[in-house]
Amino acid sequence: TPEGPVIAVDDVSFKVKPGEFLSVIGPSGCGKSTLFNVIGGLLSQHQGVVSVAGETINGPHKSIGMVFQEASLFPHLSVQGNLDYGLKRAAGATSRATLDAAVELLGIGALLTRKPDALSGGERQRVAIARALAVGPRLLLMDEPLAALDAARRQEILPFLDRLHRELTMPVVYITHAIGEVMRLADH
């Protein structure tokens, strides 16, 4: 702007250890999604430094798995096709094993042949999470993944997020405006 730069997020610094679940909470418009975009490499104009497992990240990077508010699945592909698309960013048999483990962890094995329009909102989000995990990321970044779901679908997916937290060793940064999700899921 003519008056100077607009600062959406200022003086944010944190570390998340392996296996920790960090929630960033605040009202709409406070900068949560901007922070998500900075960490995920989707916002290129920032003065901060993002480091994952000691590696400085500049731009989108396969070491960060991202889950958005909307599942953003390809409607013309089956669930398996959407998951395989996620594998294109990863390399080798380790990624297939990681994806197979994510399918089991998130309870979506029975959905693999279905198209996204035949899934509930909670099922679509579980597929989106599995796709993010397919790359074998070192950090899972989630931006209000339950915000687009009704109360019943939120209750359907929360046990899977609990399990994800218990069983994965990667750190999770979970952005939300819902205090109930923070109370249930977050370490910090």
Side-chain angles (χ1 to χ4, degrees):
T1 67
E3 298 81 35
V6 175
I7 298 174
V9 178
D10 190 24
D11 197 27
V12 175
S13 179
F14 58 86
K15 293 181 181 183
V16 187
K17 296 175 185 170
E20 283 187 332
F21 201 107
L22 172 86
S23 284
V24 177
I25 187 168
S28 295
C30 74
K32 298 182 307 293
S33 292
T34 299
L35 181 62
F36 174 93
N37 290 332
V38 168
I39 296 169
L42 303 176
L43 185 63
S44 60
Q45 294 185 341
H46 64 84
Q47 296 176 343
V49 175
V50 177
S51 177
V52 176
E55 179 182 359
T56 299
I57 305 298
N58 294 314
H61 198 277
K62 69 180 184 178
S63 67
I64 301 174
M66 295 188 288
V67 180
F68 301 89
Q69 289 180 22
E70 296 289 333
S72 302
L73 301 175
F74 296 111
H76 64 287
L77 296 176
S78 66
V79 167
Q80 184 66 61
N82 272 279
L83 297 176
D84 289 343
Y85 183 85
L87 281 178
K88 289 180 181 181
R89 290 182 50 208
T94 303
S95 299
R96 175 55 69 182
T98 300
L99 178 57
D100 291 345
V103 166
E104 194 280 322
L105 176 73
L106 293 163
I108 59 173
L111 308 176
L112 296 176
T113 60
R114 293 170 57 190
K115 296 275 179 88
D117 64 351
L119 303 175
S120 72
E123 290 168 337
R124 282 193 297 274
Q125 274 304 65
R126 289 177 11 226
V127 171
I129 294 167
R131 186 175 62 186
L133 293 173
V135 299
R138 295 182 186 160
L139 170 69
L140 182 59
L141 184 59
M142 304 174 89
D143 186 14
E144 300 199 47
L146 306 184
L149 303 178
D150 62 28
R153 298 297 74 80
R154 271 188 238 120
Q155 292 308 310
E156 168 191 317
I157 198 169
L158 277 169
F160 292 99
L161 293 176
D162 281 334
R163 187 172 179 201
L164 186 107
H165 179 207
R166 283 191 320 270
E167 296 186 21
L168 294 183
T169 58
M170 79 182 70
V172 176
V173 175
Y174 187 90
I175 294 171
T176 186
H177 65 275
I179 190 69
E181 293 169 28
V182 172
M183 297 300 292
R184 179 168 179 164
L185 299 169
D187 295 315
H188 303 286

